[in-house]
Amino acid sequence: MEKKLRTKDKILQASVELFNQVGERQVTTNHIAAHLGISPGNLYYHFRNKEDIVRQIFKEYAKLLETRIKPPTDKAEALDALASYLDAVFELMWRFHFFYANLPDILSRDPALQQDYQHVQQGVLARVTAVLKALKQSEIIQIEDEDITDLAHSIKLLVTFWISYLKTQAPDKDIDQASVYQGVLKVLLLFKPYATAQAQPRISRLQQHYAALAGDATLV
């Protein structure tokens, strides 16, 4: 049993690696098996097909998302919760960037995965909304209550399609961590119109931190 679990994990790890390198569409189960040096039959012992592999990868992604993105426990932690959210979500974007690069196509081919994705995203929206409410209570941002959900949707929209946007702008350019962190800077820009005067210096420090990760010398 231990050997089976170990092989299954290796298949998932190799699949993510290949999907990220060349795109999920370009990879077959034969490619994955050859990459690992195992027979296709060995792979099919653990997974029925490539869609089964993608579903398992998504389950791993969803579990990490749930454990890493948590609402703040008290008002004093609101800005720290925002930074933790940005760190977690963009780290996962980098780790599973094949998924974000071709999200509509992947979901359109698997109705069950589409349902799972929507369920997970409802939870993400609730967590982002909780962070925004905490930021307002901590006087980090000033925003009308009725606008909080829309801002949460805007943040999710930018996060979800940032990598797709990069691919449309430069189809032949590889996605790297610096380009992923450029997305963090775009998210922080969404907060600036709502930031209170007392919070501006702290948000600027966050911008400088992520600018360094993104290789943007103009903000460092």
Coordinates of all heavy atoms in Angstrom, one line a residue, residues 59-98:
K59 N -8.1 18.8 -6.1 CA -8.4 18.5 -4.7 C -7.3 18.9 -3.8 O -7.5 19.5 -2.7 CB -8.7 17.0 -4.5 CG -10.1 16.6 -5.1 CD -10.4 15.1 -4.8 CE -11.7 14.7 -5.4 NZ -12.0 13.3 -5.2
E60 N -6.0 18.6 -4.3 CA -4.9 19.1 -3.5 C -4.8 20.6 -3.4 O -4.6 21.2 -2.3 CB -3.6 18.5 -4.1 CG -2.3 18.9 -3.4 CD -1.1 18.4 -4.1 OE1 -1.2 17.6 -5.0 OE2 0.0 18.9 -3.7
Y61 N -5.0 21.2 -4.5 CA -5.0 22.7 -4.6 C -6.1 23.3 -3.6 O -5.9 24.2 -2.9 CB -5.3 23.2 -6.0 CG -5.8 24.6 -6.2 CD1 -4.9 25.7 -6.1 CD2 -7.2 24.8 -6.4 CE1 -5.4 26.9 -6.3 CE2 -7.6 26.1 -6.5 CZ -6.8 27.1 -6.5 OH -7.3 28.4 -6.6
A62 N -7.3 22.7 -3.7 CA -8.4 23.2 -2.9 C -8.1 23.0 -1.4 O -8.4 23.9 -0.6 CB -9.7 22.5 -3.2
K63 N -7.5 21.9 -1.0 CA -7.2 21.7 0.4 C -6.1 22.7 0.9 O -6.3 23.3 2.0 CB -6.6 20.3 0.6 CG -6.2 20.0 2.0 CD -5.4 18.6 2.1 CE -6.4 17.5 2.3 NZ -5.7 16.2 2.6
L64 N -5.1 23.0 0.0 CA -4.1 24.0 0.4 C -4.8 25.4 0.5 O -4.4 26.1 1.4 CB -3.0 24.0 -0.6 CG -2.1 22.8 -0.6 CD1 -1.2 22.8 -1.9 CD2 -1.2 22.7 0.6
L65 N -5.7 25.7 -0.4 CA -6.4 26.9 -0.4 C -7.2 27.1 0.9 O -7.1 28.2 1.5 CB -7.3 27.0 -1.6 CG -7.8 28.4 -2.1 CD1 -6.6 29.2 -2.5 CD2 -8.7 28.2 -3.2
E66 N -7.8 26.1 1.3 CA -8.7 26.1 2.5 C -7.8 26.3 3.8 O -8.2 27.0 4.7 CB -9.5 24.9 2.7 CG -10.5 24.9 3.8 CD -11.4 23.7 3.9 OE1 -11.4 22.9 2.9 OE2 -12.1 23.6 4.8
T67 N -6.7 25.6 3.8 CA -5.8 25.7 5.0 C -5.0 26.9 5.1 O -4.7 27.4 6.2 CB -4.9 24.5 5.1 OG1 -4.1 24.4 3.9 CG2 -5.7 23.2 5.3
R68 N -4.6 27.5 3.9 CA -3.7 28.7 3.9 C -4.5 30.0 4.0 O -3.9 31.0 4.5 CB -2.9 28.6 2.6 CG -1.9 27.5 2.5 CD -0.8 27.7 3.5 NE -0.1 28.9 3.4 CZ 0.9 29.2 2.5 NH1 1.3 28.3 1.7 NH2 1.4 30.4 2.5
I69 N -5.7 30.1 3.5 CA -6.4 31.3 3.5 C -7.4 31.3 4.6 O -8.4 30.7 4.6 CB -7.1 31.6 2.1 CG1 -6.1 31.6 1.0 CG2 -7.9 32.9 2.2 CD1 -6.7 31.8 -0.4
K70 N -7.1 32.1 5.7 CA -8.0 32.1 6.8 C -8.3 33.6 7.2 O -7.5 34.5 7.0 CB -7.3 31.5 8.0 CG -7.0 30.0 7.9 CD -6.4 29.4 9.1 CE -6.1 27.9 8.9 NZ -7.4 27.1 8.7
P71 N -9.5 33.8 7.6 CA -9.9 35.2 8.0 C -9.2 35.6 9.3 O -8.7 34.7 10.1 CB -11.4 35.1 8.3 CG -11.6 33.6 8.6 CD -10.6 32.9 7.8
P72 N -8.9 36.9 9.5 CA -8.2 37.3 10.7 C -9.0 37.0 12.0 O -10.3 36.9 12.0 CB -8.1 38.8 10.5 CG -9.2 39.2 9.6 CD -9.4 38.0 8.7
T73 N -8.3 36.7 13.0 CA -9.0 36.3 14.3 C -9.3 37.5 15.1 O -10.1 37.5 16.0 CB -8.1 35.4 15.1 OG1 -6.8 36.0 15.3 CG2 -7.9 34.1 14.4
D74 N -8.7 38.7 14.9 CA -9.1 39.9 15.6 C -8.7 41.1 14.7 O -8.0 41.0 13.7 CB -8.4 40.0 17.0 CG -6.9 39.9 16.9 OD1 -6.3 40.8 16.2 OD2 -6.3 39.1 17.5
K75 N -9.2 42.2 15.1 CA -9.0 43.4 14.3 C -7.5 43.8 14.1 O -7.2 44.3 13.0 CB -9.8 44.6 14.9 CG -11.3 44.4 14.8 CD -12.0 45.7 15.2 CE -11.8 46.2 16.6 NZ -12.6 47.3 16.9
A76 N -6.7 43.6 15.1 CA -5.3 44.0 15.0 C -4.6 43.2 13.9 O -3.5 43.7 13.4 CB -4.6 43.8 16.3
E77 N -5.1 42.1 13.5 CA -4.4 41.2 12.5 C -4.9 41.5 11.1 O -4.5 40.7 10.2 CB -4.6 39.8 12.8 CG -4.0 39.3 14.2 CD -4.2 37.9 14.5 OE1 -4.8 37.2 13.6 OE2 -3.9 37.4 15.6
A78 N -5.7 42.5 10.8 CA -6.4 42.6 9.5 C -5.4 42.8 8.4 O -5.5 42.1 7.4 CB -7.3 43.8 9.6
L79 N -4.4 43.7 8.5 CA -3.5 43.9 7.4 C -2.6 42.7 7.3 O -2.2 42.3 6.1 CB -2.7 45.1 7.6 CG -2.0 45.8 6.4 CD1 -3.1 46.1 5.3 CD2 -1.3 47.0 6.7
D80 N -2.2 42.0 8.4 CA -1.4 40.8 8.3 C -2.2 39.7 7.6 O -1.6 38.9 6.8 CB -1.0 40.3 9.7 CG 0.0 41.2 10.4 OD1 0.7 42.0 9.7 OD2 0.0 41.2 11.6
A81 N -3.5 39.7 7.8 CA -4.4 38.7 7.1 C -4.4 38.9 5.6 O -4.4 38.0 4.8 CB -5.8 38.7 7.7
L82 N -4.4 40.2 5.2 CA -4.3 40.6 3.8 C -3.0 40.1 3.2 O -3.0 39.5 2.1 CB -4.5 42.1 3.6 CG -4.3 42.6 2.2 CD1 -5.3 42.0 1.2 CD2 -4.4 44.1 2.1
A83 N -1.9 40.4 3.8 CA -0.6 39.9 3.3 C -0.5 38.4 3.3 O 0.0 37.9 2.3 CB 0.5 40.5 4.2
S84 N -1.1 37.7 4.3 CA -1.1 36.3 4.2 C -1.9 35.7 3.1 O -1.6 34.7 2.4 CB -1.6 35.7 5.6 OG -0.8 36.1 6.6
Y85 N -3.1 36.4 2.8 CA -3.9 36.0 1.7 C -3.2 36.1 0.4 O -3.2 35.2 -0.4 CB -5.2 36.8 1.7 CG -5.9 36.7 0.4 CD1 -6.7 35.6 0.0 CD2 -5.9 37.8 -0.6 CE1 -7.3 35.5 -1.2 CE2 -6.5 37.7 -1.8 CZ -7.3 36.6 -2.1 OH -7.9 36.5 -3.3
L86 N -2.5 37.3 0.2 CA -1.8 37.5 -1.0 C -0.7 36.5 -1.2 O -0.5 36.0 -2.3 CB -1.3 38.9 -1.0 CG -2.3 40.1 -1.1 CD1 -1.7 41.4 -0.9 CD2 -3.1 40.0 -2.4
D87 N 0.1 36.3 -0.1 CA 1.2 35.3 -0.2 C 0.6 33.9 -0.6 O 1.2 33.2 -1.4 CB 1.9 35.2 1.2 CG 2.8 36.4 1.4 OD1 3.3 37.0 0.4 OD2 3.1 36.7 2.6
A88 N -0.4 33.5 0.1 CA -0.9 32.1 -0.1 C -1.5 32.0 -1.5 O -1.2 31.0 -2.2 CB -2.0 31.8 0.9
V89 N -2.3 32.9 -1.9 CA -3.0 32.7 -3.2 C -2.1 32.8 -4.4 O -2.1 32.0 -5.3 CB -4.2 33.7 -3.3 CG1 -3.7 35.1 -3.7 CG2 -5.2 33.2 -4.4
F90 N -1.1 33.7 -4.3 CA -0.1 33.8 -5.4 C 0.9 32.7 -5.4 O 1.4 32.3 -6.4 CB 0.5 35.2 -5.5 CG -0.4 36.2 -6.1 CD1 -1.3 36.9 -5.3 CD2 -0.4 36.4 -7.5 CE1 -2.2 37.8 -5.9 CE2 -1.3 37.3 -8.1 CZ -2.2 38.0 -7.3
E91 N 1.2 32.2 -4.2 CA 2.1 31.0 -4.1 C 1.4 29.8 -4.8 O 2.0 29.1 -5.6 CB 2.4 30.6 -2.7 CG 3.2 29.3 -2.5 CD 3.2 28.9 -1.1 OE1 3.1 29.7 -0.2 OE2 3.4 27.6 -0.9
L92 N 0.1 29.6 -4.6 CA -0.6 28.5 -5.2 C -0.8 28.8 -6.7 O -0.8 27.8 -7.5 CB -2.0 28.4 -4.5 CG -2.0 27.9 -3.1 CD1 -3.3 27.8 -2.5 CD2 -1.3 26.5 -3.0
M93 N -1.0 30.0 -7.1 CA -1.0 30.4 -8.5 C 0.2 29.9 -9.2 O 0.2 29.4 -10.3 CB -1.2 31.9 -8.7 CG -2.7 32.3 -8.5 SD -2.8 34.1 -8.7 CE -2.3 34.4 -10.4
W94 N 1.4 30.2 -8.6 CA 2.6 29.8 -9.2 C 2.8 28.2 -9.2 O 3.1 27.7 -10.2 CB 3.8 30.4 -8.4 CG 5.1 29.8 -8.7 CD1 5.9 29.0 -7.9 CD2 5.8 29.8 -9.9 NE1 7.1 28.6 -8.5 CE2 7.0 29.1 -9.8 CE3 5.5 30.4 -11.2 CZ2 7.9 28.9 -10.8 CZ3 6.4 30.3 -12.2 CH2 7.6 29.5 -12.0
R95 N 2.4 27.6 -8.1 CA 2.5 26.1 -8.0 C 1.6 25.4 -9.0 O 2.0 24.4 -9.6 CB 2.2 25.7 -6.6 CG 2.4 24.2 -6.3 CD 2.3 24.0 -4.8 NE 2.3 22.5 -4.6 CZ 2.3 22.0 -3.3 NH1 2.2 22.8 -2.3 NH2 2.3 20.7 -3.2
F96 N 0.5 26.0 -9.3 CA -0.5 25.3 -10.2 C -0.9 26.3 -11.3 O -2.0 26.4 -11.7 CB -1.8 25.0 -9.4 CG -1.6 24.0 -8.2 CD1 -1.5 24.5 -7.0 CD2 -1.4 22.7 -8.4 CE1 -1.3 23.7 -5.9 CE2 -1.2 21.8 -7.4 CZ -1.1 22.3 -6.1
H97 N 0.1 27.0 -11.9 CA -0.2 28.0 -12.9 C -0.8 27.5 -14.2 O -1.5 28.2 -14.9 CB 0.9 29.0 -13.1 CG 2.2 28.4 -13.7 ND1 3.3 28.1 -12.9 CD2 2.5 28.0 -15.0 CE1 4.2 27.6 -13.7 NE2 3.8 27.5 -15.0
F98 N -0.6 26.2 -14.5 CA -1.3 25.6 -15.6 C -2.8 25.7 -15.5 O -3.5 26.0 -16.5 CB -0.9 24.1 -15.8 CG -1.6 23.2 -14.9 CD1 -2.8 22.6 -15.3 CD2 -1.1 22.9 -13.6 CE1 -3.5 21.8 -14.5 CE2 -1.8 22.0 -12.8 CZ -3.0 21.5 -13.2

